[in-house]
Amino acid sequence: MSVHFDSYTEARAHLKDLLDAATRGRVATIRRDGDRVTLVDAERLRYYLSRVVPYRAEVVAEDGGWSVFIPGVPVSADASTFDGAIEEMVRALREYAEDWEDHLLDAANHQENWGLVQLIALSDDEQLAAWVRGEAR
C-alpha cells in the first residue's frame, strides 16, 4: 500500500515504512511546508528515466574520428574511436550535471534538463555509456 505522511516528524518516525514502500515501488510521500515530496527507489527511477528522457545522443563519423552530441543540450565529445567518443561523452555529461547542479538549474534554457541530470547522477559510467549508445539497460 501507499504511505503518506503530513509532516517531517511523522515521516521520520515511520522512516522504515517509507523506505520499504519505496523499495517495493509503492508511492511514498511526505508533506513539508506545503510541498509534497516522494521517496523513490533509485534504481527504479534510473531505469525509468533511461527510457523516457527525451534526449537522444547522435554519433557521427567525421574526419577519421567520431563526434557525439545531444541536440538541445550543450554537451558534445570527439575522439578518434567510437568507444573513445562515448567515454568522452560520459565525462562531458558528468561535467554538465555538475554545472547544472552548481548554477544552471535556474537558467531558463536549462531548467527542463532536470530528468537528464537525474539520469546522469543515478547512472554509473557503464549505464550512462549504454544510454548514450541507445541501448536499453
Side-chain angles (χ1 to χ4, degrees):
M1 296 202 100
S2 300
V3 293
H4 308 281
F5 298 102
D6 289 323
S7 72
Y8 170 77
T9 303
E10 187 180 1
R12 187 175 55 205
H14 297 278
L15 184 59
K16 182 184 181 320
D17 296 330
L18 277 165
L19 294 173
D20 289 347
T23 300
R24 304 259 345 255
R26 295 189 168 133
V27 177
T29 64
I30 306 164
R31 284 203 182 278
R32 185 184 76 164
D33 299 330
D35 293 327
R36 188 171 85 159
V37 297
T38 189
L39 186 64
V40 180
D41 176 73
E43 185 52 31
R44 284 179 193 267
L45 180 58
R46 191 209 64 77
Y47 177 84
Y48 178 76
L49 289 171
S50 73
R51 281 151 178 75
V52 300
V53 168
Y55 309 105
R56 292 293 171 237
E58 295 188 22
V59 182
V60 181
E62 58 184 22
D63 295 330
W66 294 87
S67 294
V68 183
F69 64 96
I70 299 175
V73 179
V75 177
S76 63
D78 299 297
S80 59
T81 66
F82 176 84
D83 289 338
I86 298 298
E87 288 174 25
E88 286 299 315
M89 187 59 157
V90 167
R91 280 193 278 283
L93 285 167
R94 296 233 181 265
E95 288 175 14
Y96 175 75
E98 288 177 21
D99 289 344
W100 191 91
E101 292 275 352
D102 182 57
H103 60 276
L104 295 174
L105 69 125
D106 293 320
N109 58 336
H110 292 273
Q111 288 175 338
E112 293 190 18
N113 293 342
W114 175 89
L116 175 61
V117 171
Q118 296 294 314
L119 176 62
I120 294 165
L122 294 170
S123 298
D124 63 27
D125 287 354
E126 185 178 315
Q127 291 167 327
L128 197 52
W131 179 81
V132 169
R133 289 188 302 266
E135 300 169 1
R137 291 205 64 187

